[in-house]
């Protein structure tokens, strides 16, 4: 590999760049991105060799490349190889943001496992020592051997002679099957899933054994059960049918750009977790999905991140000083986000909005959910894009991308949506924003103190100082700000119980982490014509029980707006709930007694 020719200079043609700016990107464009990732990883590998001298592993990789260049390329462009390279270089330079208890020699020694995998694929005879992690020896792109563990971190030896390969350690031996994709005693193959018809087939690794399959923190190999692996295959087959039918262009590009899925356990219904990394082009970490449509949406979401990550390695979209500490409201997150995070989010959720825009035409019994999702995400994405309008730290290409995405989203805002879905989407979008404000916006401390004194003195209105611009202060306790939208999804789903939730709000809330019984009553108002007054009474009861629960202020504002009984309080809580929270908590600290929330919000709303 030392004698390799100079790497090519990668450029995206105007047509490919135009596709990516629009949030799209066909197979040829994805191939160009993948080619640039190969070159990037070769450069990172060279850097690592210069820093550490990879020795026998480098020599074995070079021999494999001479025998079979395509084999080394296969190992090199595998997503987890990119994740390992980035991890190793960050560990060496002390710039990693995560605590990793893996010894550095094990991290660096992973290159020997890569070399062994490449050499096995190339049919070479060799012997090399590789790291063993808690009794398991992963060979990237092939599988994982399991041997008796004499220590958490030690080494094993991989030998290959005349087509027969073994992994040896502590007097035990595991034979690598001649077809490594087959299981054997002590050998867990890397499963490969192939779904879809000939010519339109998705081929992807279901990676449960590579330690760098989880982003961005490594995880030890955890082979799936046959039952779980079979479930993943079934749901992926059906998800791929959805994408082939509804988004064939996107599916065509995914066939080139999705290389592995790293499965993790299922999560709460409607709250899947999925992750990609710019260092692991083509890799997706995803929790076991609820259903095929959810997985299809997840693939779209993470493929957007994949494409944008590849583009960012070729052309900057933000200037070098973009991380100026300023934080923004991201409607899909619980926490405030920096500019770079916002860029990733709007790109991903443009793809999500497009998915639901298309899927609602063929959603069948899930049509109501699909209309709601489209209405919600077009609203949320448009709101995020508006925050980034004409941002001074966008490069010319970045400005073009953001403007193009905003124009596309604006057209979606003009599309007709059933009135009930639109109303639910507006409610959930507004509620999420209000909850976020309650958690992360802080009125000036001096203004809050003045307001407390004015309240205690019986003033007719609060001081004007309370209307000063609040500061964004990340509240790490913020969780599940999307609870109202989750309740809506539960209610609109085809398996939902049609009985009014008002009958058992506690039971309904228990099914959604972070939801209050009052939230259930609020959703019930719009879905079944429930009693808004009951919801408006329930939120103050929550605040009386837990005076420092920020999310109750947001729901109270929506409930009061529906009852039209306290317009000043409703207006204040819908638009500036952080003022009520701050003053309410300060009054509790000062007097030990929480004031009536509606009375306080009405008084605050007079300013």
């Amino acid at each position: 590999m030392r004698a390799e020719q100079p790497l090519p200079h990668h450029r995206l043609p105007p047509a490919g760049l135009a596709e990516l700016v629009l949030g799209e990107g066909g197979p040829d464009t994805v191939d160009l991105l993948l080619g640039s990732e190969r070159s990037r990883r070769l450069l990172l590998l060279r850097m690592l060799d210069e820093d550490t001298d990879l020795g026998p592993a480098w020599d074995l990789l070079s021999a494999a490349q001479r025998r079979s260049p395509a084999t080394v390329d296969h190992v090199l462009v595998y997503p987890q190889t990119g994740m390992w390279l980035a991890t190793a270089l960050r560990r060496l330079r002390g710039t990693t943001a995560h605590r990793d208890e893996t010894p550095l020699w094990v991290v660096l020694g992973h290159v020997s496992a890569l070399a062994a995998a490449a050499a096995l694929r190339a049919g070479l005879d060799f012997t090399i020592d590789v790291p063993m992690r808690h009794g398991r020896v992963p060979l990237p792109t092939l599988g994982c051997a399991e041997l008796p563990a004499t220590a958490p971190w030690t080494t094993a030896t991989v030998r290959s002679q005349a087509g027969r390969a073994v992994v040896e350690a502590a007097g035990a031996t595991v034979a690598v099957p001649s077809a490594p994709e087959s299981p054997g005693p002590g050998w867990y193959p890397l499963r490969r899933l192939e779904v879809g018809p000939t010519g339109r087939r998705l081929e992807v690794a279901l990676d449960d054994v590579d330690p760098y399959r989880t982003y961005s923190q490594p995880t030890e190999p955890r082979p799936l059960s046959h039952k779980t692996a079979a479930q993943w295959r079934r749901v992926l087959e059906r998800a791929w049918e959805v994408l082939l039918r509804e988004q064939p262009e996107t599916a065509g590009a995914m066939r080139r750009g999705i290389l592995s899925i790293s499965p993790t356990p299922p999560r709460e219904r409607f709250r899947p977790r999925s992750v990609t990394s710019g260092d692991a082009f083509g890799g997706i970490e995803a929790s076991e999905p609820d259903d095929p449509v959810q997985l299809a949406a997840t693939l779209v979401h993470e493929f957007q991140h994949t494409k944008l990550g590849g583009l960012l390695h070729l052309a900057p979209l933000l200037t070098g000083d973009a991380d100026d500490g300023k934080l923004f409201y991201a409607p899909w997150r619980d926490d405030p986000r920096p500019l770079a995070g916002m860029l990733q989010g709007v790109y991903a959720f443009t793809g999500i909005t497009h998915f639901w825009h298309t899927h609602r035409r063929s959603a069948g019994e899930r049509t109501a959910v699909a209309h709601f999702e489209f209405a919600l995400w077009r609203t949320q994405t448009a709101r995020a894009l508006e925050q980034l309008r004409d941002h001074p730290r966008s490069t010319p290409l970045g400005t073009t991308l953001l403007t193009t995405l905003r124009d596309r989203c604006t057209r979606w805002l003009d599309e007709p949506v059933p009135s009930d879905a639109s109303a639910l989407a507006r409610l959930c979008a507004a509620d999420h924003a209000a909850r976020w404000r309650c958690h992360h916006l802080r009125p000036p401390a001096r203004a809050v103190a003045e307001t407390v004194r004015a309240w205690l003195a019986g003033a007719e209105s609060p001081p004007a100082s309370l209307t000063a611009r609040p500061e964004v202060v990340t509240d790490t306790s913020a969780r599940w700000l999307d609870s109202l939208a989750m309740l809506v999804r539960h209610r609109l789903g085809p398996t939902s119980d049609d009985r009014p939730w008002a009958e058992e709000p506690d039971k309904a809330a228990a099914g959604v982490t972070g939801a209050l019984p009052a939230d259930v009553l609020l959703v019930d108002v719009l879905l079944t014509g429930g009693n808004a007054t009951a919801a408006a009474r329930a939120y103050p009861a929550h605040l009386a029980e837990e005076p420092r629960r920020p999310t109750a202020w947001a729901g109270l504002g929506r409930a009061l707006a529906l009852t039209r009984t306290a317009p000043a309080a409703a207006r204040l809580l819908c638009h500036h709930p952080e003022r009520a929270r701050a003053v309410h908590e300060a009054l509790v600290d000062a007097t030990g007694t929480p004031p009536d929330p509606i009375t306080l919000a009405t008084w605050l709303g007079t300013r």
Side-chain angles (χ1 to χ4, degrees):
M1 296 183 76
R2 295 182 190 275
E4 186 181 6
Q5 295 297 316
L7 295 175
H9 190 81
H10 296 275
R11 288 189 177 89
L12 278 172
L17 195 58
E19 290 176 353
L20 293 171
V21 163
L22 188 61
E24 303 294 344
D28 291 343
T29 299
V30 174
D31 283 344
L32 290 171
L33 295 178
L34 189 59
S36 73
E37 290 299 313
R38 172 189 176 276
S39 295
R40 181 174 183 268
R41 292 181 190 176
L42 283 170
L43 288 171
L44 293 177
L45 196 58
R46 286 178 178 174
M47 292 168 61
L48 194 61
D49 183 50
E50 290 171 358
D51 287 350
T52 64
D53 186 8
L54 301 179
W58 184 277
D59 294 338
L60 187 55
L61 277 171
S62 298
Q65 187 182 55
R66 289 191 294 271
R67 170 72 68 86
S68 176
T71 289
V72 174
D73 280 353
H74 179 85
V75 175
L76 190 67
V77 301
Y78 190 59
Q80 281 58 283
T81 301
M83 195 71 245
W84 163 72
L85 278 166
T87 300
L89 286 166
R90 290 182 184 122
R91 283 287 301 271
L92 274 175
R93 297 172 185 188
T95 58
T96 182
H98 300 277
R99 182 179 179 183
D100 183 4
E101 296 180 354
T102 308
L104 181 59
W105 72 265
V106 175
V107 175
L108 298 178
H110 189 72
V111 68
S112 298
L114 287 166
L120 283 172
R121 285 180 167 276
L124 296 177
D125 292 342
F126 67 92
T127 299
I128 193 169
D129 291 337
V130 301
M132 184 160 71
R133 315 167 65 103
H134 300 275
R136 287 184 169 140
V137 181
L139 297 179
T141 74
L142 295 176
C144 176
E146 187 171 44
L147 299 105
T150 57
W153 313 103
T154 184
T155 60
T157 300
V158 182
R159 305 181 192 276
S160 181
Q161 184 72 33
R164 180 176 180 271
V166 296
V167 183
E168 301 171 334
T173 300
V174 169
V176 179
S178 56
E181 65 274 11
S182 302
W187 176 253
Y188 297 93
L190 175 67
R191 292 181 175 89
R192 299 204 63 85
L193 305 183
E194 297 183 9
V195 297
T198 302
R200 305 173 73 196
R201 183 170 296 153
L202 175 69
E203 300 179 10
V204 63
L206 187 67
D207 196 337
D208 54 356
V209 293
D210 195 298
Y212 297 95
R213 71 193 183 279
T214 49
Y215 316 132
S216 56
Q217 189 79 346
T219 305
E220 296 311 310
R222 293 193 181 96
L224 297 176
S225 68
H226 292 299
K227 179 179 179 181
T228 300
Q231 170 63 14
W232 268 98
R233 180 182 295 277
R234 286 192 295 270
V235 74
L236 181 62
E237 286 175 344
R238 295 176 60 192
W240 190 240
E241 290 172 2
V242 171
L243 291 170
L244 286 177
R245 181 176 65 249
E246 299 176 9
Q247 295 195 358
E249 296 84 6
T250 298
M254 284 180 177
R255 294 181 61 224
R256 303 286 218 283
I258 295 183
L259 307 178
S260 75
I261 297 175
S262 302
T264 60
R267 290 165 59 92
E268 183 176 315
R269 189 181 177 205
F270 296 118
R271 278 182 169 147
R273 178 184 180 273
S274 59
V275 187
T276 53
S277 169
D279 296 317
F281 185 95
I284 297 174
E285 178 189 352
S287 59
E288 185 177 323
D290 299 339
D291 54 57
V293 172
Q294 186 183 86
L295 180 57
T298 294
L299 294 179
V300 168
H301 181 139
E302 299 304 339
F303 189 51
Q304 290 293 101
H305 285 306
T306 294
K307 291 183 295 184
L308 185 62
L311 175 59
L312 287 169
H313 286 159
L314 293 174
L317 301 178
L318 304 173
T319 59
D321 59 348
D323 188 10
D324 58 357
K326 184 177 180 180
L327 298 173
F328 297 84
Y329 168 55
W332 42 81
R333 296 275 303 213
D334 290 335
D335 56 335
R337 299 293 288 159
L339 180 59
M342 291 295 291
L343 179 64
Q344 287 283 350
V346 295
Y347 200 81
F349 279 92
T350 298
I352 286 293
T353 306
H354 177 48
F355 173 83
W356 290 111
H357 173 259
T358 303
H359 183 65
R360 65 195 186 121
R361 301 169 187 165
S362 57
E365 61 181 355
R366 298 174 182 264
T367 299
V369 175
H371 280 307
F372 167 74
E373 298 286 4
F374 172 63
L376 177 65
W377 292 119
R378 69 176 180 178
T379 300
Q380 301 291 53
T381 306
R383 180 167 190 162
L385 283 164
E386 194 59 34
Q387 294 179 78
L388 307 184
R389 180 189 288 271
D390 301 324
H391 198 285
R393 291 187 171 84
S394 296
T395 65
L397 179 59
T399 298
T400 299
L401 181 142
L402 290 170
T403 300
T404 304
L405 296 183
R406 188 168 58 249
D407 291 344
R408 189 179 189 191
C409 200
T410 298
R411 291 193 294 273
W412 282 329
L413 290 172
D414 292 332
E415 296 235 2
V417 173
S419 58
D420 54 348
S422 182
L424 287 168
R426 285 196 303 271
L427 173 70
C428 292
D431 179 77
H432 189 280
R435 291 183 186 220
W436 187 92
R437 292 183 69 97
C438 275
H439 275 283
H440 302 297
L441 295 190
R442 296 288 184 272
R446 180 176 296 180
V448 172
E450 291 176 357
T451 305
V452 168
R453 289 194 293 270
W455 169 270
L456 295 176
E460 292 186 1
S461 61
S465 59
L466 192 63
T467 64
R469 187 181 185 88
E471 180 184 6
V472 178
V473 179
T474 300
D475 179 357
T476 57
S477 72
R479 294 287 188 279
W480 310 297
L481 305 189
D482 60 352
S483 295
L484 212 66
M486 291 299 155
L487 288 169
V488 170
R489 292 178 177 113
H490 276 266
R491 192 61 173 170
L492 293 180
T495 60
S496 172
D497 187 342
D498 291 333
R499 290 179 300 174
W501 277 354
E503 296 177 4
E504 296 181 289
D506 292 339
K507 180 179 178 181
V512 176
T513 304
L516 299 171
D519 295 331
V520 173
L521 295 173
L522 182 59
V523 170
D524 199 56
V525 173
L526 289 182
L527 286 171
T528 66
N531 187 348
T533 301
R537 290 172 178 166
Y539 283 111
H542 288 310
L543 286 167
E545 184 177 343
E546 297 184 64
R548 299 182 186 275
R549 184 151 191 171
T551 54
W553 290 106
L556 178 58
R558 303 297 144 196
L560 290 176
L562 290 172
T563 63
R564 302 181 182 179
T565 56
R571 184 170 57 251
L572 184 282
L573 294 177
C574 286
H575 298 288
H576 301 288
E578 70 280 2
R579 297 178 190 171
R581 177 198 176 181
V583 175
H584 188 268
E585 290 185 358
L587 283 167
V588 171
D589 290 339
T591 68
T593 302
D596 177 71
I598 297 176
T599 303
L600 176 62
T602 298
W603 180 72
L604 293 173
T606 60
R607 173 60 64 182

